[in-house]
Amino acid sequence: MTFLNRTKKPKSKARRIFTWGINLSLILLASPLLAPQLLAFPHQRTIGDTTIYSEHPIGPNMENILKRSDALMEKSAIYSDSYGRHIFLAQDGWRWNWLALSVRGGVGLTRAISPNTVIVNVADLENDLTPSRGSIGKPRSISGTIAHERTHQLIRGHFGVLKSFSFPTW
């Protein structure tokens, strides 16, 4: 009968504070994955319905990059205007490393948990180039990378998030 009458031992105040501190730290570390703007990108510019956040000043060529990206997107059979309206341009530094987490060798990414966000590792905005990374071997265009990442969002929007995980990666 003592089993039924057993009460929980209260946690000590120090343990409660420690647990609270750990949980708060985890939330603070993970929150930029949902809202990258928390990493204080110092430059911001809105072009049409897209907001660009960047580590460096956003030059006039960004308009051409978005036009090329949009032109590529419009060729898709599943095209809709429900794709990344927030683009974060990181430059292979701490912001990219924080946001990319395990994406080694990548030049861009999207996540199902932040459906309107594209993150691109930029090397040269004026010449529309991403860095040369890992197995890729050569720089790619920023406009093509944005279109590629936005296509992931189109697929999730068209087929659903869960179904999109069953598609082959490219």
Side-chain angles (χ1 to χ4, degrees):
M1 265 315 167
T2 58
F3 176 75
L4 296 175
N5 295 331
R6 204 161 84 183
T7 58
K8 271 189 165 182
K9 197 177 193 182
K11 291 182 182 178
S12 70
K13 185 175 182 177
R15 184 168 178 175
R16 284 193 313 269
I17 290 171
F18 176 77
T19 302
W20 188 84
I22 293 292
N23 289 336
L24 181 61
S25 297
L26 291 173
I27 290 168
L28 289 174
L29 286 171
S31 59
L33 301 178
L34 297 170
Q37 56 271 40
L38 294 174
L39 294 180
F41 284 83
H43 302 278
Q44 179 180 336
R45 182 170 169 205
T46 300
I47 299 171
D49 57 1
T50 302
T51 303
I52 298 100
Y53 302 84
S54 178
E55 292 186 35
H56 299 287
I58 303 164
N61 194 39
M62 191 66 211
E63 288 182 48
N64 295 328
I65 289 170
L66 286 180
K67 283 179 188 174
R68 284 192 291 274
S69 173
D70 288 343
L72 290 168
M73 297 289 298
E74 290 169 2
K75 293 178 183 179
S76 171
I78 61 169
Y79 175 78
S80 77
D81 61 358
S82 64
Y83 55 77
R85 299 294 182 208
H86 300 282
I87 298 174
F88 294 85
L89 306 175
Q91 199 137 25
D92 222 4
W94 68 271
R95 286 180 182 91
W96 171 256
N97 290 333
W98 193 329
L99 295 170
L101 289 179
S102 62
V103 182
R104 299 281 182 217
V107 293
L109 63 101
T110 60
R111 290 195 180 88
I113 59 173
S114 50
N116 219 358
T117 301
V118 172
I119 302 158
V120 180
N121 195 3
V122 173
D124 184 354
L125 198 57
E126 284 309 307
N127 292 306
D128 191 12
L129 293 173
T130 62
S132 176
R133 309 284 282 171
S135 63
I136 295 170
K138 64 179 184 174
R140 293 185 175 186
S141 69
I142 296 167
S143 53
T145 301
I146 290 170
H148 173 97
E149 297 305 331
R150 284 176 159 178
T151 300
H152 289 297
Q153 295 169 328
L154 284 179
I155 291 168
R156 286 192 287 265
H158 188 78
F159 296 104
V161 174
L162 294 177
K163 177 100 170 135
S164 70
F165 286 115
S166 67
F167 295 151
T169 60
W170 74 88

